[in-house]
Amino acid sequence: MNAPVKPPADSAADEVLYEVSDGVATLTINRPAKMNTISVPMLRRLSELLLQANADKDVRAVVLTAVGRAFCAGLDLVDATAGDGIGSQNQARAVSVDIDLRNSPPTVLHHMDKPTICALNGSAAGYGMDTALGCDIRIMAESAKMAPAFVKRGVVPESGGTWILPRLIGWEKAAEIVFTGRTLSAHECVELGLASKVVPDAELASAAKALAKEIADNAPLAVQSAKRLMRMGLNETFNDHVHHVYLQFLQLVRTDDFREGLVSFLEKRAPDFKGR
């Protein structure tokens, strides 16, 4: 059974819901009547909330999920073919050549220091798949799928997929997925390395929350530093990278959390990290 469907969004603010609990921010795409296909207000709201979560000192991990039968079915093809919405001819003629992508969801996701988990409740197609791949970790419900149908629609993975896929699973497998546009089941995604695990549909929310809480219980400054260094390492030589790691290490050993980590280990108790 998929997550319960919440009332359809009736305003831009309702298209992405936001909640913080136990150090975990949960962002929920809420356009179920449209299969959570993207709209301009949704993209704007998603970026705003991701930036909010990244800046909130009380947030230590982020879960991105959705309600309804799909995680995100990509572009709203009905609106696009009708001449409205993203991807329509009317919108294409109005797009500026100097569009600023710095605050678009894929870019914001890539630069976030807080760990991100995508809980895929249903199909992730096109933009939805790129968004899921932009998160650090993916957990999929058994009924969920990834549908890289870009070339079947006459476009390319426009939101980071061509950058992320080869780095996740290698050139050959990435090429097969992108060039064929073949839909992948949840278990195929795990086998390929596109998701960490598959859980029964009814257990998706609790599994994502449990993983996020496990991350949130660790020293947040260390977790966020590790993520930054992993991201930097994608484009650095080994010698440059270990230099940056050492500089970050020197900063972390001066923190209260480092001392709490040592003391709690010696006292054989769970640490109480404060993020300072």
Side-chain angles (χ1 to χ4, degrees), residues 1-9 17 30-33 36 66-70 121:
M1 179 185 299
N2 286 330
V5 176
K6 298 182 182 179
L17 307 176
N30 181 41
R31 209 176 179 228
N36 294 320
V67 295
R69 295 185 296 116
N121 56 297

Side-chain angles (χ1 to χ4, degrees), residues 73-147:
L75 293 176
D76 189 331
L77 298 180
V78 174
D79 283 356
T81 53
D84 300 315
I86 297 174
S88 68
Q89 288 298 312
N90 290 340
Q91 197 231 20
R93 284 191 288 268
V95 171
S96 171
V97 295
D98 60 351
I99 185 171
D100 187 351
L101 295 175
R102 289 174 296 180
N103 287 324
S104 65
T107 307
V108 171
L109 263 177
H110 179 70
H111 289 288
M112 283 184 69
D113 289 334
K114 305 292 174 71
T116 54
I117 300 168
C118 185
L120 284 145
N121 56 297
S123 294
Y127 187 95
M129 178 173 169
D130 274 2
T131 300
L133 294 178
C135 294
D136 300 313
I137 301 167
R138 285 152 297 283
I139 299 176
M140 299 182 70
E142 284 184 324
S143 64
K145 299 176 182 179
M146 289 192 187

Side-chain angles (χ1 to χ4, degrees), residues 5-255:
V5 176
K6 298 182 182 179
D10 56 13
S11 70
D14 291 334
E15 290 196 347
V16 185
L17 307 176
Y18 186 80
E19 178 186 8
V20 178
S21 176
D22 295 328
V24 178
T26 302
L27 282 69
T28 306
I29 300 173
N30 181 41
R31 209 176 179 228
K34 293 273 192 174
M35 298 287 286
N36 294 320
T37 49
I38 62 174
S39 69
V40 172
M42 177 199 288
L43 296 183
R44 187 179 302 116
R45 182 67 172 159
L46 183 56
S47 288
E48 290 171 354
L49 292 177
L50 288 170
L51 290 168
Q52 179 178 324
N54 203 47
D56 188 345
K57 293 186 181 299
D58 292 331
V59 172
R60 299 185 178 188
V62 176
V63 173
L64 177 60
T65 190
V67 295
R69 295 185 296 116
F71 169 71
C72 174
L75 293 176
D76 189 331
L77 298 180
V78 174
D79 283 356
T81 53
D84 300 315
I86 297 174
S88 68
Q89 288 298 312
N90 290 340
Q91 197 231 20
R93 284 191 288 268
V95 171
S96 171
V97 295
D98 60 351
I99 185 171
D100 187 351
L101 295 175
R102 289 174 296 180
N103 287 324
S104 65
T107 307
V108 171
L109 263 177
H110 179 70
H111 289 288
M112 283 184 69
D113 289 334
K114 305 292 174 71
T116 54
I117 300 168
C118 185
L120 284 145
N121 56 297
S123 294
Y127 187 95
M129 178 173 169
D130 274 2
T131 300
L133 294 178
C135 294
D136 300 313
I137 301 167
R138 285 152 297 283
I139 299 176
M140 299 182 70
E142 284 184 324
S143 64
K145 299 176 182 179
M146 289 192 187
F150 304 96
V151 296
K152 294 182 182 293
R153 308 290 179 259
V155 292
V156 295
E158 81 287 356
S159 302
T162 49
W163 190 89
I164 297 169
L165 267 173
R167 286 168 168 80
L168 279 179
I169 59 175
W171 181 278
E172 185 175 8
K173 285 298 182 183
E176 181 181 346
I177 289 170
V178 173
F179 300 164
T180 65
R182 178 172 56 85
T183 297
L184 305 169
S185 71
H187 289 285
E188 285 178 301
C189 288
V190 170
E191 291 170 4
L192 287 165
L194 296 177
S196 63
K197 62 181 176 180
V198 179
V199 298
D201 289 23
E203 297 176 15
L204 178 66
S206 59
K209 183 63 181 291
L211 178 58
K213 185 64 169 60
E214 184 178 357
I215 293 171
D217 286 341
N218 291 324
L221 298 179
V223 171
Q224 292 162 38
S225 294
K227 179 173 176 177
R228 278 196 302 273
L229 288 165
M230 289 168 64
R231 186 173 62 236
M232 292 167 63
L234 293 171
N235 300 304
E236 290 183 323
T237 65
F238 179 78
N239 288 339
D240 288 343
H241 188 67
V242 293
H243 180 70
H244 289 140
V245 170
Y246 185 64
L247 291 176
Q248 190 68 74
F249 175 81
L250 291 178
Q251 293 296 319
L252 289 172
V253 296
R254 295 186 176 97
T255 64

